Amino acid sequence: MARGGRVDDDQVPGRLRREAPALRLEPRLRLAGIRPAPDAVGFDKIVIAPRYSSGLSDAGAYYGSVRGIVKSLWAREEKGIRLEIQIPPGASAEVHLPCRIGEVVEI
């Protein structure tokens, strides 16, 4: 693992490299909404709270934690926004999905 918790390309599964080859920058982590919970130890508790910027059609990032890869990818679609997440085995995640009152959220 590279310094600062970033993942070196040779440590990322090929599937993730193909999905998000240039999305490993820190601003992307904020857009993807990846962060440890306030009481987390080694990313055992994760918060996924994507920032759906009006100027973007999609965004995503992955982070190489000590427990494994954390991934958050979102994309605007005709019927709304699709969010794909991955958390390491043994970790838990709290996912924040902004919506309007009465809006339907499918999981």
Side-chain angles (χ1 to χ4, degrees):
M1 182 175 298
R3 292 177 56 198
R6 291 195 185 103
V7 179
D8 293 326
D9 278 341
D10 62 341
Q11 296 174 311
V12 177
R15 183 173 159 266
L16 288 180
R17 266 200 311 273
R18 287 190 302 275
E19 288 177 0
L23 302 181
R24 285 167 261 139
L25 304 173
E26 300 239 358
R28 290 288 189 169
L29 288 176
R30 287 192 296 274
L31 281 172
I34 297 173
R35 68 178 189 266
D39 59 341
V41 177
F43 266 80
D44 63 339
K45 297 176 187 173
I46 301 160
V47 175
I48 306 283
R51 296 182 181 183
Y52 305 116
S53 175
S54 61
L56 297 175
S57 62
D58 57 36
Y62 55 86
Y63 178 79
S65 77
V66 296
R67 296 183 181 276
I69 297 209
V70 179
K71 177 177 83 169
S72 172
L73 303 169
W74 64 265
R76 294 183 192 281
E77 295 183 342
E78 188 175 317
K79 294 183 179 182
I81 295 176
R82 178 181 47 84
L83 174 64
E84 180 182 335
I85 64 170
Q86 174 184 330
I87 62 169
S92 63
E94 180 179 304
V95 181
H96 296 235
L97 301 172
C99 62
R100 295 180 199 96
I101 294 174
E103 191 173 18
V104 175
V105 176
E106 291 182 28
I107 298 176

